Each structure stands twice: as structure tokens, then as C-alpha cells.
């Protein structure tokens, strides 16, 4: 079990090192920084929409749709 955890840690460590060394052309930041920034922006948008909608379903931006009346 310890060997498996060591191998997984080694794999993730090398993958992270690989993505921190490669820069995005034209921007000058690493792919790792870009990935983390996009992930945090997505998470922030989901939390913002969850607060506005009052639900955990952020798909479809339901805040901007009009609900039909029962009349």
C-alpha cells in the first residue's frame, strides 16, 4: 500500500512539475497557473449563482429565465 501511495505521489509531482514549466504562448503564465485560475473562476461563479438562485444547480443560468405563471 505504501508503494502505491509513493507511486501516485511521484506521478502527480512530476505531472505538476511538467505543467508549471510550460508557459502559455502570448500570456506568459504556466499551464498550471491557468488551470488553477480557471478552476477557481468556475467555482466562484457556481457559488455566486447558488447564492442568487437558492439552489445548487448552476446549470443554465436559471436566474435569467422567466418562470411561467399558473394563471
Amino acid at each position: 500500500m505504501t508503494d502505491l501511495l509513493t507511486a501516485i505521489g511521484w506521478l502527480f509531482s512530476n505531472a505538476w512539475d511538467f505543467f508549471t514549466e510550460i508557459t502559455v504562448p502570448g500570456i506568459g503564465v504556466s499551464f498550471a497557473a491557468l488551470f488553477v485560475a480557471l478552476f477557481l473562476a468556475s467555482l466562484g461563479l457556481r457559488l455566486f449563482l447558488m447564492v442568487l438562485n437558492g439552489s445548487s444547480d448552476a446549470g443554465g443560468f436559471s436566474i435569467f429565465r422567466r418562470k411561467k405563471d399558473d394563471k
Side-chain angles (χ1 to χ4, degrees), residues 5-46:
L5 291 176
T6 303
I8 291 172
W10 176 81
L11 180 68
F12 282 126
S13 173
N14 286 336
W16 184 255
D17 289 341
F18 175 74
F19 284 113
T20 55
E21 292 174 0
I22 298 176
T23 59
V24 178
I27 301 176
V29 298
S30 68
F31 274 109
L34 182 65
F35 174 75
V36 169
L38 291 175
F39 173 76
L40 290 176
S42 172
L43 182 66
L45 183 61
R46 286 183 189 173

Side-chain angles (χ1 to χ4, degrees), residues 45-65:
L45 183 61
R46 286 183 189 173
L47 290 174
F48 177 70
L49 290 174
M50 198 181 333
V51 168
L52 290 180
N53 288 338
S55 69
S56 61
D57 181 28
F61 298 97
S62 62
I63 181 176
F64 300 113
R65 277 189 273 152

